[in-house]
């Protein structure tokens, strides 16, 4: 499941491909921040036919509280983030879905990186406790003199108190921040460990002289030797 940024003539619009954000399961998608829907062209990656939509009133106060509580955290740790917070009320149960995407592409230095996470928050309209389920994904591609890729995923879940919109939003965001921070630290620690073990085992060991071999110079010596033998 991809998280794709779509540009329209107005502000940036965002949607999550496939189910989340689609109004009817087809090419029409909804942006919760602006309360507008649009038709998406998959081939041109363009949005058109932008229309106003009614918000789900039963879930809006919870959705808006979580969206507001997320902003300081995302602005600090994901400077180029694009985020959407969806909300719906169905059978006296509120479902809030948070989608976060950030990336940095650096082709001049032969590397790209992308982060995405999705969080589902479900609770009764009366409040109480909410079940929070999240999936996080990090993808890194390094391709200078080689082709190395990292694709890592992790799923977490927790029960958080959500007696009011503001308190619930703070608790949900605190869990998201804690989970994402721990996950990213674990990736960093794993890379450090692999650098000292796995990657080191793949490298060519130095000869007894403890100096690198100049293979181009050795090739030159061999060519010179062949010429001397023929003469």
């Amino acid at each position: 499941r991809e998280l794709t940024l779509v540009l329209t003539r107005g502000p940036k619009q965002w949607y999550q491909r496939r189910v989340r954000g689609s109004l009817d399961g087809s090419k029409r998608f909804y942006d919760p921040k602006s309360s507008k829907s649009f038709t998406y062209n998959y081939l041109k990656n363009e949005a058109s036919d932008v229309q106003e939509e009614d918000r789900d009133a039963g879930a809006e106060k919870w959705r808006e509280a979580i969206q507001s509580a997320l902003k300081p955290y995302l602005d600090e740790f994901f400077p180029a983030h694009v985020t959407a917070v969806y909300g719906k009320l169905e059978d006296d149960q509120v479902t809030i879905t948070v989608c976060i995407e950030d990336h940095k592409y650096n082709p001049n230095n032969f590397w790209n990186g992308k982060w995405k996470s999705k969080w589902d928050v479900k609770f009764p309209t009366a409040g109480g406790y909410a079940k929070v389920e999240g999936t996080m994904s990090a993808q890194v591609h390094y391709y200078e003199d080689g082709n190395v890729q990292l694709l890592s995923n992790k799923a977490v879940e927790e029960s958080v108190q959500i007696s009011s919109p503001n308190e619930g939003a703070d608790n949900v965001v605190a869990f998201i921040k804690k989970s994402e921070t721990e996950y990213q630290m674990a990736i960093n620690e794993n890379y450090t460990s692999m650098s000292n073990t796995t990657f080191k085992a793949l490298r060519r060991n130095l000869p007894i002289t403890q100096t690198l071999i100049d293979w181009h110079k050795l090739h030159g010596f061999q060519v010179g030797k062949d010429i001397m033998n023929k003469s």
Side-chain angles (χ1 to χ4, degrees):
R1 181 172 290 177
E2 294 296 325
L3 309 183
T4 304
L5 175 67
V6 180
L7 298 178
T8 64
R9 293 181 181 178
K12 291 189 294 186
Q13 307 292 333
W14 188 96
Y15 78 94
Q16 181 179 2
R17 186 173 292 172
R18 294 183 185 172
V19 179
R20 196 69 63 183
S22 175
L23 293 177
D24 54 8
S26 62
K27 297 180 180 179
R28 189 156 197 88
F29 293 86
Y30 174 66
D31 172 55
K33 187 176 295 185
S34 64
S35 191
K36 294 180 181 179
S37 67
F38 55 91
T39 300
Y40 177 68
N41 187 314
Y42 288 86
L43 297 178
K44 296 182 179 180
N45 190 32
E46 292 179 352
S48 60
D49 189 22
V50 179
Q51 300 177 10
E52 294 286 343
E53 298 288 342
D54 294 329
R55 299 181 187 271
D56 190 327
E60 179 58 21
K61 64 180 180 180
W62 304 94
R63 188 205 69 80
E64 189 174 19
I66 290 177
Q67 179 176 280
S68 298
L70 271 170
K71 190 176 186 306
Y73 161 61
L74 295 176
D75 288 347
E76 180 179 0
F77 293 98
F78 299 93
H81 74 89
V82 180
T83 305
V85 182
Y86 298 92
K88 69 176 181 179
L89 174 62
E90 192 173 35
D91 297 330
D92 292 326
Q93 177 172 273
V94 177
T95 300
I96 305 296
T97 300
V98 178
C99 300
I100 303 169
E101 192 273 350
D102 198 358
H103 61 263
K104 188 168 185 179
Y105 301 146
N106 196 335
N108 292 334
N109 291 314
F110 307 100
W111 63 263
N112 299 314
K114 183 175 183 178
W115 168 274
K116 58 184 178 182
S117 63
K118 174 176 169 288
W119 303 87
D120 289 317
V121 185
K122 299 180 180 181
F123 55 93
T125 54
Y129 283 86
K131 181 179 182 181
V132 183
E133 296 178 309
T135 56
M136 300 166 285
S137 172
Q139 184 175 5
V140 180
H141 185 199
Y142 181 78
Y143 49 96
E144 182 178 16
D145 296 329
N147 192 348
V148 180
Q149 295 194 53
L150 163 73
L151 180 57
S152 176
N153 301 278
K154 184 178 181 180
V156 295
E157 65 176 71
E158 183 65 277
S159 178
V160 302
Q161 190 171 0
I162 191 162
S163 57
S164 69
N166 290 336
E167 180 199 33
D170 289 341
N171 292 338
V172 168
V173 172
F175 175 63
I176 292 175
K177 180 178 180 179
K178 175 177 177 291
S179 300
E180 294 189 340
T181 300
E182 290 177 350
Y183 176 47
Q184 294 187 41
M185 290 179 64
I187 292 177
N188 292 339
E189 292 173 0
N190 189 49
Y191 254 105
T192 301
S193 175
M194 290 180 67
S195 179
N196 295 328
T197 55
T198 308
F199 294 153
K200 187 175 182 179
L202 296 174
R203 300 184 188 122
R204 181 189 302 275
N205 291 327
L206 289 174
I208 194 170
T209 58
Q210 294 297 301
T211 57
L212 294 174
I213 297 175
D214 190 337
W215 297 102
H216 295 289
K217 185 178 292 186
L218 286 180
H219 180 69
F221 289 156
Q222 182 63 42
V223 171
K225 183 178 179 182
D226 292 342
I227 293 175
M228 291 292 294
N229 290 337
K230 288 181 181 180
S231 61

